[in-house]
Amino acid sequence: MSSLPRVPLPWPDELTPAAARALQKQWRGRVQRHGRVDGIRWIAGVDVAFPAQGSRSRGAAVLFRYPDLVPVAGSLAELPTRFPYVPGLLSFRELPALLAALSGLPQVPDMILVDGQGIAHPRRLGVASHLGVLLDRPTIGVAKSVLCGRYAEPDRASGSQSPLVHDGEVIGTVLRTRQNVRPVIVSCGHRVGLTEAVALVQSCSRGYRLPEPTRLADKLAGANPGPWPLGEGVPIRCESTVDVAGAAQAPVPIR
DNA sequence: GCGACAG
DNA sequence: ATCTTGTCGC
């Protein structure tokens, strides 16, 4: 029963947008855009929600057995939001909650699907790539819309693809995961090639626009007082870490 | 200078 | 992301 480490955030509590962009340029060189997807047994999907009213972030992670995609566990974590939403700097806002949620899973995922861009980012360090580098684990970015780059509209049929290009470089694939629905943007997060990433996303799709990992993580993050979103029998670990400047207090359950 | 802009 | 009901289409 091993779980992912709770890595400390490698950036200051106080950070200006300009400083954050400088850090991205410094870290983007660590991203590995190649890698196979063999021998995967555990896959996780992650997402973050921002409950109305409060200024808190709720990270959600769902662990699946692969390739049958049976959800085996979920994890929720809430903590204060410390960074605003700034296009291009999403990871500084969402990573704390994502890391906290991932640390609550019972197994270390062989692959993590993130709701957001991987290298399909102005400085090639979207939230999926940033997460992968921090954990040194394979990740894939699956976004619902484009941040930067241009592309030709893929065919309306399921499975149709079209390259996403930015500054003369292919940074991702616009993939139609279902007929007549808006395509998703797939890009390398870390330690995986684009072709392999697209194949993996397709193998995780089950008739919905979003692949199961991201789809259920999104559902888990957004459904608070509601029916168990993963099905009866699937354990969900909940933890609310009320901390100010890193000093964690006593964890209290969500719900 | 103007428009675009993950979640 | 979040606030929000019904409704049109595959």
Side-chain angles (χ1 to χ4, degrees):
Chain A
M1 204 292 229
S2 54
S3 61
L4 284 163
R6 201 144 191 171
V7 302
L9 297 179
W11 64 80
D13 287 324
E14 297 293 312
L15 198 62
T16 63
R21 293 187 189 98
L23 288 175
Q24 292 181 320
K25 292 178 181 177
Q26 181 184 321
W27 295 331
R28 61 183 172 187
R30 301 180 189 176
V31 178
Q32 292 175 23
R33 307 177 180 193
H34 300 288
R36 298 290 163 190
V37 289
D38 322 307
I40 291 180
R41 294 188 53 190
W42 305 102
I43 285 188
V46 296
D47 188 26
V48 180
F50 299 86
Q53 302 171 60
S55 58
R56 294 160 66 73
S57 301
R58 176 187 295 153
V62 180
L63 181 72
F64 297 77
R65 193 171 65 195
Y66 187 84
D68 58 21
L69 292 184
V70 171
V72 297
S75 174
L76 285 168
E78 273 196 20
L79 56 166
T81 302
R82 312 193 207 181
F83 200 82
Y85 169 68
V86 179
L89 301 179
L90 187 68
S91 63
F92 293 91
R93 176 179 174 79
E94 302 194 339
L95 276 180
L98 291 181
L99 292 168
L102 281 167
S103 72
L105 293 179
Q107 295 288 333
V108 175
D110 298 308
M111 175 61 76
I112 302 172
L113 266 54
V114 185
D115 188 324
Q117 315 292 349
I119 63 171
H121 174 280
R123 291 167 293 284
R124 309 293 184 262
L125 193 75
V127 60
S129 295
H130 197 162
L131 175 65
V133 167
L134 283 185
L135 297 175
D136 191 29
R137 289 257 109 202
T139 60
I140 293 173
V142 182
K144 297 184 290 298
S145 63
V146 171
L147 207 209
C148 68
R150 304 179 79 273
Y151 65 92
E153 192 63 29
D155 209 39
R156 288 172 290 287
S158 177
S160 300
Q161 303 171 29
S162 182
L164 176 64
V165 180
H166 179 61
D167 286 342
E169 172 181 32
V170 174
I171 59 176
T173 296
V174 179
L175 173 70
R176 191 90 66 184
T177 52
R178 176 187 174 165
Q179 292 225 15
N180 299 335
V181 298
R182 288 202 308 155
V184 295
I185 316 304
V186 179
S187 62
C188 303
H190 185 52
R191 292 170 56 176
V192 66
L194 181 57
T195 301
E196 291 84 352
V198 171
L200 197 289
V201 169
Q202 291 186 293
S203 77
C204 286
S205 295
R206 290 291 183 279
Y208 292 90
R209 179 159 92 113
L210 299 180
E212 294 303 286
T214 289
R215 192 175 73 81
L216 289 196
D218 183 272
K219 181 185 293 186
L220 178 59
N224 206 8
W228 230 232
L230 305 182
E232 301 302 321
V234 181
I236 298 177
R237 179 170 168 174
C238 304
E239 163 185 338
S240 178
T241 307
V242 182
D243 68 313
V244 177
Q249 308 300 301
V252 297
I254 299 173
R255 283 174 172 250

